[in-house]
Amino acid sequence: MKRHPLFGQLRWRIVGAQMVVVVVGVVVVLAVTNLLVEAMLAAAVAGVGDQVQAAELARELSAAFRTRMLIAVGIGALGAIVAALVTGLLLARQILNPLYQLALSSRRIAAGRYAERCDVPDSDELALVATSFNQMAEELERVEQQRVTLIGDVAHELRTPLTALAGYLEGLLDGLFPAEPETFNAMAQELRRLRRLIDDLQDLSRVEAGQISLNLAPQPLVPLVRQAVTALLPQAESKGVSLTFAPPQVAPEVLVDADRTAQIAHNLIGNAIRYTPEGGAITVSVGVAGRQAEVVVTDTGIGIPAEVLPYIFERFYRVDSSRSRQSGGSGIGLTISRYLAWAMGGELVAASAGAGAGSTFTLSLPLAPASSPAPRSTEPNQV
Ligand code: ADP
């Protein structure tokens, strides 16, 4: 790549700055010595009685001194100019080469070569710039990798219900499937899955882009959670799983978006039902820990192995993809929930003692300012 003319300009500016120092040095030396010589000659001829002789002597001495002084300063200046030129060029090289490398690398990255990194120079300051640049390049590469993976994942997720729908349609056309409600129900189920996936994707893109609009207002947390539990109770019952709501000692008011909080609660309780086999139990509780209110969803379900626990909030991550896809899981519910929790100033964490040992999801939400916890809820434990 052709070196930008600005780099040449900067090099000569650095050399020029060195030269200015040399010129100023030479001028100051000449001016000061001139003054000193005048004073010295006046003192040297003060003892000579004859005025004419004294003047002649002073002129001769002055001429001799000036000639030698000019030779000395001239040689000194020449040496200084050579030194300034060499050091200026070396300094320019030391500064400009890493800068040029940085410019080159950033252009390559802009052209899509995300694996590009620049060498870290010896100089501390430039090393700091180069290291920061490399960190930025690494992050860009990671984001690009995620983008590529996301496109692949979305295509894969869309293909699954579409393939099933196409299969049903072809079966109907070929007479393999009877045109009966059962077949149409199965097709409608695939369509619902497709629609849910598209809705989730839209939510995901909004929360990831920080474009989600939140309607934050102080609200009591218990009714929000109770509503989600009540809505999902039939689902839990039909699966033979018990769903219990444990009301808190204090009923906290939280500063949240009510719909989004309900969405998170739905996701957590829905997952607990989905991943808890028949005969299992799910407990939902609300409490206060420090300056945050907490919603804790605990189940006695299939649990999450420790090695995959850090990944369950990543988009499209499913511990057992065939099992959760079968039950309609897209693997982005938790990703959206965590983003929503973060956007409201809260947190969402998961814990599990391992496969088969159940899981606990804790959603923390900020308490509403100046809200003193209301008295204990008196509603029954079981919803
Ligand atoms: P999905 O729609 O697949 O449930 P989520 O993002 O909600 O997607 O969850 C991601 C993955 O985390 C699930 O596929 C499942 O493997 C695991 N998971 C979530 N909740 C639970 C739970 N309560 N018990 C066991 N595994 C869970």
Side-chain angles (χ1 to χ4, degrees), residues 38 56-57 73 75 93 110 141 154 211 217 220 262 279 282 294 304 321 364:
E38 293 302 326
E56 181 64 19
L57 185 62
V73 171
I75 293 171
R93 215 171 84 149
E141 192 180 13
V154 170
Q211 284 172 350
I282 300 162
E294 278 185 352
I304 304 162
S321 54
S364 309

Side-chain angles (χ1 to χ4, degrees), residues 88-137:
L89 287 175
L90 282 177
L91 191 67
R93 215 171 84 149
Q94 219 179 16
I95 296 170
L96 292 181
N97 272 1
L99 286 183
Y100 179 63
Q101 281 303 316
L102 273 177
L104 210 65
S105 296
S106 51
R107 270 189 236 178
R108 284 194 187 130
I109 288 174
R113 287 157 71 177
Y114 293 96
E116 177 75 20
R117 300 287 180 274
C118 62
D119 298 334
V120 177
D122 296 332
S123 146
D124 284 352
E125 297 82 357
L126 290 169
L128 189 70
V129 176
T131 312
S132 307
F133 178 89
N134 284 344
Q135 279 168 353
M136 185 199 68

